[in-house]
Amino acid sequence: NYLKIFSPATVANVSCGFDALGLALETVGDTMTFTKTATKGVKITQITGADLPLDPQINAAGVVALAMLEKHPVDFGIDITIHKGFTPGSGLGSSAASAAGAAFGINQLLGNIFSPLELTQFAMLGEEATCGTPIADNVSAAIYGGFTLVRSYEPLSIVKIPVPADLKVVAIHPQVEVKTKDAREVLPKEVPLKDAVTQWANVGGLISGLYTNDYQLIADSLTDIIVEPARKHLIPHFDEVKQQAIKAGALGAGISGSGPTIFTLCKGDATAENVYKTIQNTYQDKQIDFNMILSKINTKGI
Ligand code: HSE
């Protein structure tokens, strides 16, 4: 009758995999509780850590919960609390964490009747309500854990990709606002075939590197020649951070989701710590507040 869960923050795109790849973090995310009540309906009774609407009709978690109870009516109600462990608008899948968490938590109270794929579909409704597009890259990573590939939207098909054991994420979240909607407006409408070939070859290389623990192949493939050039001007000092991170040993760096967070993948703790310090130093004198993240990849999902 009561459940407490941790729903992870996620890095969408992972450079070359725009709207198709995502990964889940271990140390950053939302903590949510779900309680069965006698009064039917969904109530969000408390949100801490961020200023977000309690009205379930316009809250990512609420939208998901309402859709699930509409699909599967029950004779009890559900109270939800959300503690946001990271800032909305960071590019780390804030709405996705709440939406995926709601899908998982409500499913448990309903007796675990929906599959992970169905939970992803419900969670996508939360993404649609909050950022205008029912994107699956963040929510699938939160639900399945590890790296996920959204192989197809219609029909929805999610592939879980293995995580090499030494892979760490170091990220910096500069406290500037980048709205997903705005970051999608700067995207190119068309892509030259030559660029598309480069990009999908890198997606293949990255996936292959993840399956075979080939860190060099991961490093070589972790690039984005289509979306990053169009968006990087939205993120202060992006090029400098990326350059310094790679010099300090990162396998690669890119924009997390639609930004402003810049993520890097690193092999091993020592390199990750070095990259962490290097990025921190790069931003220290920039007069922009920022948060640093060092995390393992969450391989199990919610
Ligand atoms: N793939 C999405 C984007 C993630 O980059 O716009 C943001 O939700």
Side-chain angles (χ1 to χ4, degrees):
N1 291 344
Y2 170 83
L3 178 73
K4 188 174 180 180
I5 62 149
F6 175 78
S7 185
T10 46
V11 171
N13 303 335
V14 200
S15 294
C16 46
F18 177 69
D19 275 3
L21 278 176
L23 67 84
L25 298 180
E26 177 116 340
T27 52
V28 189
D30 290 353
T31 306
M32 302 174 73
T33 68
F34 302 85
T35 312
K36 269 191 192 175
T37 61
T39 327
K40 278 192 186 184
V42 173
K43 251 201 280 170
I44 301 174
T45 55
Q46 192 184 48
I47 300 176
T48 53
D51 187 18
L52 292 169
L54 291 171
D55 179 354
Q57 311 270 5
I58 51 169
N59 177 288
V63 168
V64 173
L66 290 170
M68 292 176 81
L69 293 185
E70 195 183 309
K71 179 99 187 199
H72 186 83
V74 286
D75 60 1
F76 56 85
I78 297 178
D79 280 3
I80 304 175
T81 70
I82 307 171
H83 175 68
K84 300 295 302 175
F86 62 113
T87 333
S90 55
L92 289 164
S94 172
S95 56
S98 297
F104 182 90
I106 303 283
N107 188 41
Q108 294 299 308
L109 294 196
L110 295 181
N112 205 1
I113 55 172
F114 294 114
S115 69
L117 192 68
E118 288 170 315
L119 296 185
T120 306
Q121 279 162 329
F122 281 120
M124 286 164 69
L125 300 173
E127 289 289 70
E128 186 170 27
T130 48
C131 61
T133 321
I135 311 170
D137 48 6
N138 291 100
V139 289
S140 62
I143 288 170
Y144 288 78
F147 282 83
T148 50
L149 170 72
V150 186
R151 203 223 15 106
S152 153
Y153 272 86
E154 283 182 20
L156 185 67
S157 165
I158 308 290
V159 183
K160 185 166 172 165
I161 315 285
V163 181
D166 289 339
L167 214 50
K168 313 280 162 189
V169 178
V170 175
I172 177 166
H173 171 209
Q175 312 279 303
V176 296
E177 193 182 7
V178 177
K179 292 204 171 97
T180 298
K181 203 170 160 287
D182 299 339
R184 290 185 86 80
E185 265 160 27
V186 303
L187 296 172
K189 301 271 176 289
E190 285 172 7
V191 177
L193 184 61
K194 195 167 150 284
D195 291 352
V197 170
T198 303
Q199 192 88 346
W200 63 53
N202 280 322
V203 175
L206 176 56
I207 301 283
S208 175
L210 293 170
Y211 269 95
T212 56
N213 298 310
D214 186 337
Y215 291 91
Q216 188 57 50
L217 182 55
I218 294 171
D220 292 344
S221 311
L222 203 62
T223 59
D224 169 11
I225 63 157
I226 295 173
V227 175
E228 186 179 293
R231 280 181 169 172
K232 66 179 184 178
H233 68 279
L234 301 170
I235 300 159
H237 314 293
F238 175 81
D239 282 331
E240 190 182 344
V241 169
K242 179 171 175 169
Q243 206 178 45
Q244 293 298 327
I246 291 172
K247 214 164 123 191
L251 300 169
I255 303 169
S256 178
S258 55
T261 293
I262 305 167
F263 82 97
T264 72
L265 291 184
C266 302
K267 182 188 177 188
D269 290 326
T271 307
E273 275 155 32
N274 194 31
V275 170
Y276 183 104
K277 281 195 208 110
T278 302
I279 297 180
Q280 196 174 33
N281 286 342
T282 308
Y283 240 82
Q284 212 84 65
D285 56 356
K286 305 294 191 208
Q287 269 133 27
I288 297 172
D289 287 339
F290 61 91
N291 293 326
M292 294 295 303
I293 292 165
L294 195 169
S295 177
K296 279 196 209 167
I297 294 176
N298 172 338
T299 52
K300 71 166 186 45
I302 302 166

